[in-house]
Structures are given as C-alpha cells and as structure tokens.
C-alpha cells in the first residue's frame, strides 16, 4: 500500500494515505482532493483516498490507450506470456492474502474468515484466466463461396471496470482477469466506500510484471469518476456491477460512443422449498444464503417460498439456525456475520424492517441491532426473519441488501414458480426437493441465470454467472467472460 503514516496497514492504528495508480505511478487526484475511508465496525477512519474525477479518468484513459497502442506492448504479447503474468499476479495475491483479507475486513466490516475466502477466490479467478488466455480460439466456417472463412478474437481496447462495495476484490477479479487475459488495457474504479484492495491489486499487478498503464486504478465517487468512465469516448467497453438503477444510468452514459456494455445488477432471489425436501439440510445451509456478508449479496436468497404443508417445520428449523448465526467483531475468527458496509446502509435496512412491520408482516427473529455494548459503535444488525409475508409486499419485492428474509407459503408447484418469477429481477435461485423431475422442471421454468438444486451455491469460477431480466446483461466467469472483452473479426480468403 502506498502509505505515509502507518505502523501496520489495515488496522485502525493510524490512517493510511492511499493513492490511485495511473500509468504505473502512485498519484493523488489532479485537484488534490481526498475522502475518508471508514471502518464500519468502529466508525473510525482507516485511510484517506484520492477523490478522483473527470480529469483523473482522462489521465487514466490516456495511460491505458498508450499501453494498448504500444507496438511491443500487452496487446501484442503472445497470449501465453500474458497468461504467465496473470499467473504471477494470482501467486502474489495468495502470498499477500492475509494483508489483503485484513484490508477487506477493516474496509467492508465483513468477517475475517469471509475475507480470506474472498481473497483466495480472487486469486483462483486470476489463475483461471491465466490458463484461459491461450485458449481463446476463433473458428473456421464452411461458407458457400470457395475460400477459407475464419474468425479472430481481438481485444476491444481500453475497458472501464466499475465495481461495488460488497465483494470488492472478488468483483474486481471477475472483470480485471478476463479483460487483461484477452489483451485489453483497463481502468478499474472501486466503490468509494471500499477502495483499499483495488489499489493493492494495482500495485501487485505491477509487481507481477504487468506493464505500466495496463491496469489503472481510479478511486472516487460514482457520480463523477464512475460517470466519466461510462461516458468516455476513449473507452470501448464498460463492465459494471452494482444497483440496477445505476446500471440503467450507465447504459445511457455509454450510448454516446455505443460502448459495449456488460451489467451485473440487483436481485430478489428465491429459495423454493418443496415439502419433500431434506428440510434439515435446507435449514442448516440456507441462513448463509441470505445472511452471509450481512445480506449484502446480489444472490441473497431473500425470499423463502415454502410449500404450505412444510411451512411450520421450515420456520421452526430456520429460525433456530438463524439464532445460532454468530454476529460479532469482523476480526474474530468465530464471527459469521459482521457489520453492514456503513451506518447509512444499516439505517436503510432498518427502514425496510419498519416497512415490513407496517405492511403487516411479523418478525420471528432479529429486527434490531445486537445489544452487546462492545458492538455499539458498529453498523450491526441482527439476522431478521419475517413471516406472514405476501409476495406483493415491498419487503418481498425490493432488494433490501441486508440480513432480512421473507417467508412466503405456496400451495402448488405452479404457484411456487409464479411467485418466484413475479419480480423484475432474475439473478439466482435455489430449489429444494427430493423429486428430481420436479426440481428440473422448476429449474427450467425459473427465469434466472444462476440456479442450484438442493444447494445455495451460486458462484463457480468455471461456470457462467449473470442475470435474466433487470438483473443484467452478459455472463461473467467461465469462458463466457472472454466474450465480454473481445470483438470477433471475420476474415474471408478467396482461394478460387
Ligand atoms: P452502486 O450501483 O451504488 O455502485 C456500484 C459502483 O458504481 C460503484 O463503484 C459506484 O461508485 C459506481 N457508480 C455509482 N453511480 C454511478 C454513475 N452514475 N456512473 C458510473 N458509476 C457509478 O452499487 P453498490 O451499492 O456499490 O452495490 C450494491 C448493488 O450491487 C446491489 O444492487 C447488488 O445487487 C449489486 N451487485 C450485483 C452483483 C451481480 O453480480 N449481479 C454483484 C454484486 C453486487
């Protein structure tokens, strides 16, 4: 970390002075402005970071364009050579994983065990795309004219990567790794709440031998730095993860030069529980599908649709499992749920709890902040279960992005699917049943991009990830992500 006063990075002992990375240099914002980065578990400032704006985005675009145009540069390297650099970066992430995990925990308020998993997950993503770089094939196509028709997969150029605060380094890896593997140069903008690991990633990329200007890190607010990236004529593609409304704004901004866009947006995902399911397994696993990361997960299964005959049993088991979720200090290895990202986000979720009560739903567990005085300064909220919910209540329709779940009964398979699909979102969902035919029918009928059966797992580095409907455009992860960062060029050679 680029620091001025710091005994140990990633602690609250002394605030770090963080800098952006543009053209391989650690730099302040052009106008010298900064913003405070706060630890949501203590409310204390852990760093100051540059408040980047349009001028800084211009500088980063210039550096990235220069790196892309370099006749011996990144885009011209043999794909395997690019892959080896990404592999070195993966190794450096692993080597520095404790520091990165600590940074992430202090910045996001998430439990240290979760942060460790996230950092290792990011290194695996770099490993995957390190191997994928030289497996990005074109095709030969039997066209009707006599000749050879083939396709080339080419990088787009400079790409803008805008990521949210809930899984900062992981979301960055999902974009940076395939973009760079395909030969693009990039500008990464972390969310303003959580710039720390993105900056460190930029530093490690340089250490891995990725040339200056290939990965630039610009910190700053969405409305200025983010919007400048989305609108910039020198950028050929923007990849975004965040709220659906922000995604809509990015589509508008990106239309000026008809940028390629990929969007990973919000969700209101269902856990559909049929009465014939292994209810004990469900109750053991499902709390983490909605309370993990304090519910700030686009795939959070925030609606439990349960067959009416199993409603009472599921409620009993799920509530018991929820009571056992350990909420506490993110630095404690035993903690399962830490704070929300900010007091503002916690208050937003508390408003939804009031809305749910006002709509007539009942809280069966949670609904308040923990009463432990040691947690009084943090943005904590207990895992909260609402029963007596109908699918048309706001708590069942809107993305709360906090540790809140609604239990909604259904009578038939058809009704379960109708309820599940009655949302503008379509990111993920799970189906619990011992009847494989029923589970498969439901998996096919669910309008969502990422489905699991008798499991809540959503993310596999090797498999496509993305949303139907207003949950997004495009598929990240797996080989599909390379489609998001390449142009396909068709070449016909006359051999008549
Ligand atoms: P957000 O939309 O507020 O911000 C995301 C990023 O966009 C940040 O870097 C922000 O600074 C930037 N931004 C904000 N306004 C902008 C603008 N006008 N132009 C350009 N950039 C702008 O989202 P968030 O609150 O950081 O993250 C939470 C949201 O992200 C939730 O809705 C969640 O579902 C979604 N999310 C989706 C996925 C997915 O893969 N589908 C994954 C994680 C999070």
């Amino acid at each position: 970390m680029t620091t001025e006063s710091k005994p140990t990075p990633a602690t609250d002992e002394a605030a770090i002075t963080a800098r952006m990375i543009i053209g391989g240099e650690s730099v302040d914002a052009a106008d010298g402005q900064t913003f405070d980065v706060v630890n949501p578990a203590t409310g204390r400032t852990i760093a100051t970071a540059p408040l980047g704006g349009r001028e800084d985005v211009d500088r980063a675009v210039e550096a990235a364009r220069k790196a892309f145009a370099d006749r011996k540069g990144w885009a011209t390297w043999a794909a395997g050579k690019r892959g080896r650099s990404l592999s070195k970066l993966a190794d450096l992430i692993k080597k520095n994983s404790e520091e990165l995990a600590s940074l992430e925990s202090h910045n996001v308020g998430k439990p240290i065990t979760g942060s460790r998993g996230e950092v290792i997950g990011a290194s695996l993503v770099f490993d995957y795309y390190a191997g994928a770089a030289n497996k990005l094939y074109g095709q030969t196509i039997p066209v009707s004219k006599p000749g050879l028709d083939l396709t080339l997969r080419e990088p787009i150029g400079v790409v803008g990567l805008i990521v949210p605060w809930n899984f900062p380094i992981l979301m960055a890896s999902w974009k940076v790794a395939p973009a760079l593997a395909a030969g693009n140069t990039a500008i990464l903008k972390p969310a303003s709440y959580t710039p720390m690991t993105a900056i460190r990633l930029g530093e490690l990329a340089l250490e891995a031998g990725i040339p200056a200007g290939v990965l630039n890190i610009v910190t700053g607010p969405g409305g200025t730095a983010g919007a400048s990236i989305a609108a910039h004529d020198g950028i050929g593609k923007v990849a975004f993860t965040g709220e659906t409304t922000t995604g809509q704004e990015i589509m508008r901004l990106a239309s000026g030069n008809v940028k390629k866009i990929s969007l990973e947006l919000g969700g209101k995902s269902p856990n559909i529980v049929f009465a014939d399911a292994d209810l004990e397994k469900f109750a053991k696993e499902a709390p983490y599908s909605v309370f993990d990361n304090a519910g700030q997960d686009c795939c959070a299964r925030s609606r439990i649709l349960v067959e009416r005959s199993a409603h009472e049993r599921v409620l009993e088991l799920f509530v018991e499992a929820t009571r056992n979720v350990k909420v506490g200090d993110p630095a404690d290895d035993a903690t399962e749920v830490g704070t929300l990202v900010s007091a503002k986000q916690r208050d937003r979720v508390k408003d939804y709890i009031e809305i749910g009560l006002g709509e007539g739903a009942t809280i069966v567990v949670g609904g308040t902040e923990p009463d432990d005085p040691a947690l009084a300064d943090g943005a904590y909220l207990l895992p909260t279960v609402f029963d007596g919910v109908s699918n048309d209540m706001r708590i069942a329709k809107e993305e709360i992005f906090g540790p809140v779940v609604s239990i909604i009964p259904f009578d038939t398979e058809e009704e379960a699917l109708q309820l599940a699909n009655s949302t503008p979102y379509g990111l993920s969902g799970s189906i619990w049943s011992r009847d494989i035919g029923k589970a498969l029918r439901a998996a096919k009928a669910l309008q969502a991009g990422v489905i699991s059966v008798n499991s809540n797992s959503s993310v596999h580095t090797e498999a496509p990830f993305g949303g139907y409907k207003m949950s997004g455009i495009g598929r990240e992860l797996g080989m599909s992500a390379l489609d998001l960062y390449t142009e396909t060029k068709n070449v016909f050679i006359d051999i008549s």
Side-chain angles (χ1 to χ4, degrees), residues 113-455:
T113 47
S115 297
R116 286 189 186 117
E118 190 187 329
V119 169
I120 293 303
S123 79
L124 293 176
V125 171
F126 277 100
D127 266 335
Y128 179 87
Y129 290 102
N134 61 2
K135 292 158 199 78
L136 181 57
Y137 307 134
Q139 296 176 308
T140 55
I141 301 169
V143 293
S144 50
K145 287 216 163 84
L148 178 64
D149 192 277
L150 56 92
T151 60
L152 303 174
R153 303 285 298 277
E154 299 187 338
I156 294 169
V158 177
V159 298
L161 314 173
I162 304 175
V163 294
W165 45 256
N166 56 347
F167 295 99
I169 194 168
L170 191 65
M171 293 295 102
S173 73
W174 288 18
K175 292 176 172 42
V176 172
L180 265 48
N184 299 281
T185 58
I187 295 149
L188 170 66
K189 196 203 85 62
S192 32
Y193 281 128
T194 56
M196 305 310 288
T197 50
I199 295 172
R200 195 72 188 102
L201 182 68
E203 292 172 350
L204 293 176
L206 291 167
E207 203 179 320
I210 295 172
V214 171
L215 177 60
N216 304 278
I217 316 292
V218 173
T219 56
T224 48
S228 303
I229 290 172
H232 207 290
D233 281 348
I235 294 180
K237 184 237 156 65
V238 64
F240 167 78
T241 296
E243 282 188 29
T244 295
T245 48
T246 317
Q248 290 171 313
E249 174 64 7
I250 284 180
M251 289 177 88
R252 282 188 281 274
L253 291 168
S255 68
N257 67 335
V258 194
K259 273 184 197 64
K260 315 296 177 242
I261 48 172
S262 49
L263 305 173
E264 298 286 2
L265 309 175
K268 192 72 190 176
S269 300
N271 238 325
I272 305 177
V273 192
F274 289 102
D276 65 6
D278 181 342
L279 301 183
E280 279 72 21
K281 181 174 191 268
F282 167 76
K284 197 166 152 227
E285 295 178 15
Y288 302 99
S289 74
V290 61
F291 303 135
D292 196 32
N293 214 38
Q296 302 163 121
D297 183 339
C298 54
C299 287
R301 307 297 197 268
S302 51
R303 293 183 295 156
I304 297 177
L305 308 177
V306 57
E307 193 162 357
R308 201 174 300 275
S309 59
H311 179 193
E312 286 309 313
R313 181 74 183 134
V314 164
L315 187 63
E316 183 190 346
L317 289 169
F318 189 80
V319 166
E320 192 192 330
T322 300
R323 285 191 207 284
N324 290 332
V325 172
K326 181 150 179 4
V327 179
D329 180 358
D332 183 345
D333 271 356
T335 294
E336 293 171 313
V337 171
T339 70
L340 284 94
V341 75
S342 63
K344 189 172 160 213
Q345 179 69 8
R346 191 259 326 272
D347 293 345
R348 184 178 171 268
V349 178
K350 278 169 67 181
D351 286 348
Y352 269 108
I353 291 175
E354 289 305 315
I355 289 168
L357 289 170
E359 287 176 310
T362 321
I363 292 180
V364 218
V365 60
T368 60
E369 293 153 65
D371 51 20
D372 180 351
L375 305 180
D377 291 337
Y380 293 93
L381 197 60
L382 290 174
T384 301
V385 180
F386 269 113
D387 194 27
V389 181
S390 70
N391 209 41
D392 56 1
M393 290 180 181
R394 280 184 65 192
I395 53 167
K397 288 199 297 197
E398 297 173 18
E399 187 181 42
I400 296 176
F401 228 55
V404 180
V405 70
S406 294
I407 301 191
I408 305 168
F410 66 83
D411 289 303
T412 62
E413 185 181 328
E414 193 186 6
E415 189 194 358
L417 292 164
Q418 185 268 326
L419 291 172
N421 288 333
S422 294
T423 163
Y425 296 116
L427 188 55
S428 52
S430 293
I431 299 144
W432 295 80
S433 171
R434 286 192 170 96
D435 177 342
I436 191 65
K438 191 196 289 179
L440 270 177
R441 273 198 306 278
K444 286 182 74 174
L446 258 187
Q447 294 158 359
V450 188
I451 311 261
S452 53
V453 173
N454 297 328
S455 153

Side-chain angles (χ1 to χ4, degrees), residues 70-132:
D70 182 348
R71 285 174 42 188
K72 290 193 178 153
W74 183 251
T76 70
W77 286 14
K81 184 176 169 188
R82 281 202 301 271
R84 283 194 294 283
S85 296
L86 293 174
S87 181
K88 271 191 207 154
L89 178 52
D91 290 346
L92 284 170
I93 293 172
K94 272 181 225 132
K95 195 171 146 202
N96 292 279
S97 60
E98 266 310 302
E99 181 214 342
L100 286 163
S102 177
L103 268 182
E104 201 79 307
S105 251
H106 281 79
N107 196 177
V108 187
K110 67 170 71 189
I112 186 68
T113 47
S115 297
R116 286 189 186 117
E118 190 187 329
V119 169
I120 293 303
S123 79
L124 293 176
V125 171
F126 277 100
D127 266 335
Y128 179 87
Y129 290 102

